[in-house]
Amino acid sequence: MGSELVEIKMSQSPLKIGDKEVQNTVSLTPSPILDSIPKTPKSPFGARIMTPLASPMKKALTYMEEIGHFTKLDPQDAWLPITESRNGNAYYAAFHTLSSGIGVQALVLPLAFITLGWIWGIISLSIIFMWQLYTLWLLIQLHESVPGMRYSRYLRLSMAAFGEKLGKILALFPTMYLSGGTCVTLIMIGGGTMKIFFQTICGSNHCHLTSLSTIEWYIVFTVSAIILAQLPNLNSIAGISLVGSISAVTYCTLTWVVSVVKERPEDVSFETVENKSDLERVCSILNAIGMIAFAFRGHNLVLEIQGTMPSSLKNPSHVPMWKGVKFSYSIIALCLFPLAIGGYWAYGNLMPNGGILSALDKYHGKDTSKVILGITSLLVVVHSLTSFQIYAMPVFDNLEFRYTSNKKKPCPWWLRTGFRVFFGCLAFFISVALPFLPSLAGLIGGIALPVTLAYPCLMWIMIKKPQTYTSTWFVNWSLGLLGLVLSVLLVFGAIWTIAIQGMDVHFFKPQ
């Protein structure tokens, strides 16, 4: 599902070498998709075609290999939305990474500082940022870690590293949860913000329009998301990701700038919250770290984004991918750090559970221009719609994979449309049935943390097999095991915090 075999496929036009033309007569049939990841010989060309060392054909093959004319998708991968288009570049990678790597989950970062305080809050944010940037680099390098294969899905890389069964157990639920669960959360946030936007614009007595209910706004958002989801593949939504990136950067900047510029509320305090017991204190710290970890989700999409790029020996895909990631995460850092630090400075312990956007509405809703508040809400809606597309793409890809595996042919347009409508309706149903899911940010961060911080380090060891006790071996084992332990602690801390503080659980009653 996520690896492509390198095939020999020469162009139909003759290749000119010196004064002679070598006519292409080599044509190999594509390898079938296997349930388990096949082993690729070190030199697939030598294994299938035997030519004299100095013959013109050998020179032709070497030349064609170097410029990348031998890379061909297996038929099934050419039918799936993630890998059917290979015209991606560093710009597309930056757009997708920025749109998926920053978002509304960053708005709760100041809440973590309430528990951690200034020093430990900044230290924790910095460490996790550098840690996840390192694991991003590992994933980008592992994309083509085996000669002749490209792992264009996180799940397939996990299966290659840990084995088919264990790889599925470790990665299937977290990656599907990050994709589907994020889409559900985006419907809640996007639909709820649509309602806030309407109230901001038509909140005066002169507006005679009646606002829709929360569920009706969810429907409006879901229908809009499903319409955009009809674009065929990941590369086709690059423009949408660009719009989403600009929207995210703008509303994050607007939110913390307005909060800092406005006069701070009275009784702002930066004293850490007192806890009744040491255990409660530890659990609160773990929950805060989980919120920070949740702000850096998106690793489950990195391999998919890189899979949309062409690749050859001279121009491997990891080069433009890493350029795009470096640029996007520079922008992400310029958004998240001021948002967390500025938001905590502006509101301190008065920060509501909804994050800095709720604080802005609560404390400065009356003394802030409706234009600014309206633009901020509209940008949140736009970014939620665009993020929905990129996070839903792995789900669409998986649904179509099941069909193409059974039928051995691409999905017809009506079935592809049906899959996307079905997923949108399912995500809408869950958002209405379980409206309390955003309150589980710490728990979700703990569950998803291995995908971001632990698995890439362990997969690097399993696939690359660095020499024992070297610095690379030690660093990756240490970070991988630490990530797993931290994940267990975060899940425990989040559950304990929910049990102690309680949570407003209401089914089919979105607020």
Side-chain angles (χ1 to χ4, degrees):
M1 173 176 157
S3 59
E4 300 91 42
L5 298 181
V6 172
E7 300 295 332
I8 300 180
K9 184 177 178 64
M10 299 182 67
S11 59
Q12 297 301 320
S13 58
L15 178 67
K16 190 171 184 180
I17 301 177
D19 298 328
K20 299 180 179 180
E21 288 187 348
V22 178
Q23 186 68 32
N24 172 23
T25 59
V26 181
S27 178
L28 298 180
T29 57
S31 298
I33 296 293
L34 302 179
D35 292 334
S36 59
I37 299 174
K39 295 182 179 179
T40 305
K42 293 182 179 180
S43 180
F45 310 102
R48 299 187 179 187
I49 299 176
M50 302 300 296
T51 59
L53 182 62
S55 68
M57 179 59 71
K58 181 67 175 181
K59 294 179 181 179
L61 291 176
T62 302
Y63 173 76
M64 297 296 287
E65 178 184 359
E66 288 179 351
I67 63 176
H69 282 231
F70 290 143
T71 301
K72 182 180 183 296
L73 290 176
D74 283 328
Q76 189 178 18
D77 289 295
W79 300 334
L80 300 177
I82 287 177
T83 50
E84 70 178 10
S85 173
R86 291 286 188 172
N87 60 353
N89 52 47
Y91 298 103
Y92 286 14
F95 302 158
H96 291 316
T97 305
L98 187 54
S99 181
S100 61
I102 188 173
V104 290
Q105 76 281 358
L107 300 177
V108 300
L109 283 176
L111 283 173
F113 278 58
I114 295 177
T115 301
L116 300 174
W118 281 112
I119 297 177
W120 285 109
I122 295 175
I123 291 175
S124 300
L125 184 59
S126 302
I127 290 176
I128 294 180
F129 178 81
M130 296 303 298
W131 188 350
Q132 60 87 34
L133 194 59
Y134 171 68
T135 55
L136 263 177
W137 180 83
L138 292 180
L139 288 175
I140 293 171
Q141 299 300 316
L142 289 173
H143 179 82
E144 295 175 289
S145 54
V146 177
M149 299 185 70
R150 295 182 67 180
Y151 297 106
S152 299
R153 282 95 177 162
Y154 194 103
L155 177 60
R156 298 304 295 184
L157 181 61
S158 176
M159 292 167 61
F162 304 123
E164 185 173 355
K165 291 184 178 179
L166 182 59
K168 284 184 178 180
I169 293 173
L170 293 177
L172 182 59
F173 175 75
T175 54
M176 287 297 102
Y177 184 86
L178 280 171
S179 294
T182 300
C183 290
V184 171
T185 305
L186 288 171
I187 290 177
M188 298 180 188
I189 295 172
T193 310
M194 278 183 169
K195 184 177 181 180
I196 295 175
F197 174 75
F198 179 87
Q199 293 173 345
T200 302
I201 301 301
C202 292
S204 63
N205 296 328
H206 302 289
C207 185
H208 301 289
L209 297 176
T210 303
S211 177
L212 302 176
S213 66
T214 302
I215 294 180
E216 289 171 335
W217 282 117
Y218 284 8
I219 294 175
V220 173
F221 181 90
T222 304
V223 171
S224 303
I226 290 175
I227 292 174
L228 284 178
Q230 300 312 310
L231 290 172
N233 54 61
L234 197 54
N235 271 336
S236 65
I237 65 170
I240 291 179
S241 292
L242 172 60
V243 174
S245 302
I246 296 173
S247 301
V249 172
T250 305
Y251 78 70
C252 284
T253 304
L254 268 178
T255 303
W256 73 261
V257 167
V258 173
S259 299
V260 170
V261 170
K262 294 290 183 178
E263 184 178 353
R264 288 192 295 183
E266 297 180 359
D267 302 327
V268 170
S269 173
F270 303 106
E271 296 293 330
T272 55
V273 179
E274 295 292 335
N275 295 282
K276 297 180 180 179
S277 63
D278 293 337
L279 180 60
E280 187 176 348
R281 170 69 176 167
V282 171
C283 291
S284 297
I285 292 174
L286 292 173
N287 192 49
I289 295 175
M291 291 181 184
I292 296 177
F294 184 58
F296 295 110
R297 88 271 195 274
H299 282 51
N300 60 308
L301 299 172
V302 172
L303 296 173
E304 285 81 350
I305 296 171
Q306 191 172 352
T308 64
M309 297 180 174
S311 185
S312 65
L313 295 180
K314 282 192 172 182
N315 300 291
S317 61
H318 68 82
V319 176
M321 184 65 191
W322 182 237
K323 288 181 180 179
V325 167
K326 285 191 296 184
F327 173 79
S328 61
Y329 270 85
S330 299
I331 303 298
I332 289 173
L334 293 176
C335 290
L336 297 193
F337 280 86
L339 189 65
I341 297 172
Y344 184 58
W345 179 89
Y347 305 109
N349 291 347
L350 298 179
M351 181 72 63
N353 290 332
I356 189 172
L357 199 60
S358 298
L360 180 64
D361 180 67
K362 180 178 180 179
Y363 299 108
H364 301 298
K366 296 181 179 179
D367 60 357
T368 303
S369 169
K370 284 189 175 183
V371 174
I372 294 178
L373 294 176
I375 290 176
T376 304
S377 299
L378 182 61
L379 291 173
V380 171
V381 172
V382 171
H383 179 251
S384 297
L385 280 172
T386 57
S387 294
F388 185 96
Q389 309 308 314
I390 189 170
Y391 274 97
M393 197 61 71
V395 181
F396 301 154
D397 188 88
N398 191 51
L399 291 173
E400 294 189 28
F401 172 77
R402 304 301 172 189
Y403 175 85
T404 55
S405 296
N406 293 328
K407 300 297 184 179
K408 308 301 180 185
K409 63 180 182 179
C411 284
W413 68 267
W414 57 266
L415 185 58
R416 171 173 280 191
T417 301
F419 280 148
R420 302 184 181 200
V421 172
F422 167 76
F423 174 73
C425 294
L426 178 62
F428 165 76
F429 174 79
I430 297 174
S431 65
V432 174
L434 307 174
F436 52 86
L437 282 180
S439 303
L440 303 176
L443 180 60
I444 296 172
I447 295 174
L449 185 139
V451 173
T452 303
L453 302 182
Y455 292 163
C457 301
L458 300 178
M459 289 190 292
W460 177 273
I461 293 173
M462 297 300 177
I463 294 177
K464 291 291 189 178
K465 301 186 185 304
Q467 187 176 353
T468 307
Y469 303 120
T470 59
S471 57
T472 302
W473 181 90
F474 179 78
V475 168
N476 284 290
W477 267 118
S478 300
L479 292 179
L481 295 178
L482 179 60
L484 293 177
V485 172
L486 185 60
S487 174
V488 174
L489 292 176
L490 290 181
V491 171
F492 172 78
I495 293 175
W496 180 269
T497 302
I498 293 172
I500 295 299
Q501 298 180 357
M503 186 176 62
D504 185 13
V505 178
H506 42 277
F507 298 96
F508 296 96
K509 293 181 180 179
Q511 301 297 319

